[in-house]
Amino acid sequence: MARAMFSALFTAGMLAIGCAAGNEAATPRAASTQGAVRLPEGARLVDLTYPFDGKTIYWPTAATGFVLNQVHHGPTEAGFFYAANDFCAPEHGGTHLDAPIHFAEGKSTAEAVPMSRLVGPAAVVDVSTAAARDVDYRVTRADIEAFEREHGAIAPGTIVLIRTGWGSRWPDRKRYLGDDRPGDASNLHFPGIGEDAARALVARKVASVGIDTASIDNGPSRDFIAHRVLLGADIPAFENVASLDALPARGALVFALPMKIRGGSGGPLRIIAVLPP
């Protein structure tokens, strides 16, 4: 039964991406095209992506943020409306992918990350209570094991999403990063994933790992051990994931589709979840 439901959601979700708007859960309307495939009745889409704009948070040492330059917006000489823009942005900022090559020589670049690591069932590990007590909290192996005792084992191919509660701070740069001095990443404070938890996730052969903070390593990290362990195992990471409070611990199907940048170490990510009825 569970496999059949997952298969149905997988097929329907692949054909229904784009039905949700904004960062809110949405129930897709019936398709008007004859023969179109629809999500199961009552299923919902949740957008887990922050918009890219002038408020998008990037790592403090990034040379620029997100820049959108208007090329044209208005009537053409022929009389019809036309809009087009140029944009420029670093790879790592806003809701984005860390491709394994980001911290692991010889591992997958952005365009080479297999689709099997970008689409899969989600396990949402909630450490928000611990993070509220310690802004520099690091997820532990014990947190992973506690989740499994309550919700069942994390199977290979699962997309593990870490909910720290930091999404409530977006886009307040100082509250989100712990410091808002441009060019200085020496005094950041936010939760991340500890080494023992990262190794536990590698042992479980997860597809990928996401978090609702600016990095899978906590703010004060200098050795970026979570990056080195996870990306070193060719497991990609998703950072600045939005709206994790809208997802259950189990049951969501996640689609994480990054910009396919050849040779990229990461890039902007559109990530959504399909929630069953």
Side-chain angles (χ1 to χ4, degrees):
M1 178 65 73
R3 182 180 294 273
M5 175 174 284
F6 176 80
S7 178
L9 283 172
F10 180 89
T11 302
M14 286 293 287
L15 294 167
I17 292 173
C19 293
N23 281 329
E24 311 227 345
T27 301
R29 291 171 292 184
S32 58
T33 305
Q34 184 177 2
V37 176
R38 295 185 291 271
L39 289 178
E41 186 70 28
R44 294 182 297 138
L45 296 177
V46 180
D47 193 342
L48 305 178
T49 314
Y50 292 115
F52 284 84
D53 57 25
K55 296 180 179 179
T56 299
I57 296 173
Y58 285 84
W59 201 249
T61 55
T64 66
F66 182 84
V67 179
L68 187 72
N69 292 316
Q70 187 178 102
V71 175
H72 190 89
H73 188 96
T76 66
E77 292 181 358
F80 54 81
F81 177 84
Y82 175 72
N85 306 293
D86 292 332
F87 72 88
C88 178
E91 289 177 317
H92 299 277
T95 306
H96 71 281
L97 165 78
D98 276 5
I101 190 67
H102 186 38
F103 272 80
E105 186 177 6
K107 299 299 183 181
S108 299
T109 50
E111 88 288 359
V113 174
M115 292 294 291
S116 59
R117 291 196 177 277
L118 302 175
V119 178
V124 182
V125 179
D126 189 340
V127 297
S128 57
T129 299
R133 294 193 298 263
D134 178 4
V135 297
D136 297 325
Y137 186 74
R138 287 181 292 185
V139 180
T140 66
R141 180 185 297 270
D143 291 320
I144 303 301
E145 292 171 346
F147 173 89
E148 291 183 312
R149 284 194 297 273
E150 184 173 356
H151 302 289
I154 295 174
T158 299
I159 294 177
V160 175
L161 302 173
I162 306 296
R163 179 177 178 264
T164 70
W166 244 242
S168 65
R169 300 172 179 234
W170 183 280
D172 186 323
R173 186 178 301 272
K174 188 168 186 176
R175 292 187 64 236
Y176 192 77
L177 295 178
D179 188 45
D180 61 355
R181 287 173 288 184
D184 184 0
S186 65
N187 196 37
L188 304 182
H189 295 281
F190 52 79
I193 300 171
E195 179 177 0
D196 63 340
R199 295 196 184 280
L201 294 172
V202 170
R204 285 156 176 77
K205 299 180 180 179
V206 301
S208 50
V209 176
I211 196 167
D212 59 355
T213 66
S215 171
I216 55 172
D217 281 285
N218 73 349
S221 177
R222 296 295 176 266
D223 61 5
F224 298 97
I225 190 62
H227 278 87
R228 290 160 53 201
V229 169
L230 289 164
L231 276 58
D234 224 17
I235 296 172
F238 313 136
E239 294 170 334
N240 300 316
V241 179
S243 302
L244 288 185
D245 57 343
L247 301 190
R250 293 280 201 183
L253 176 65
V254 167
F255 294 80
L257 303 180
M259 183 181 290
K260 196 172 181 179
I261 302 173
R262 188 177 298 281
S265 71
L269 176 72
R270 186 64 183 268
I271 177 171
I272 68 167
V274 183
L275 273 57

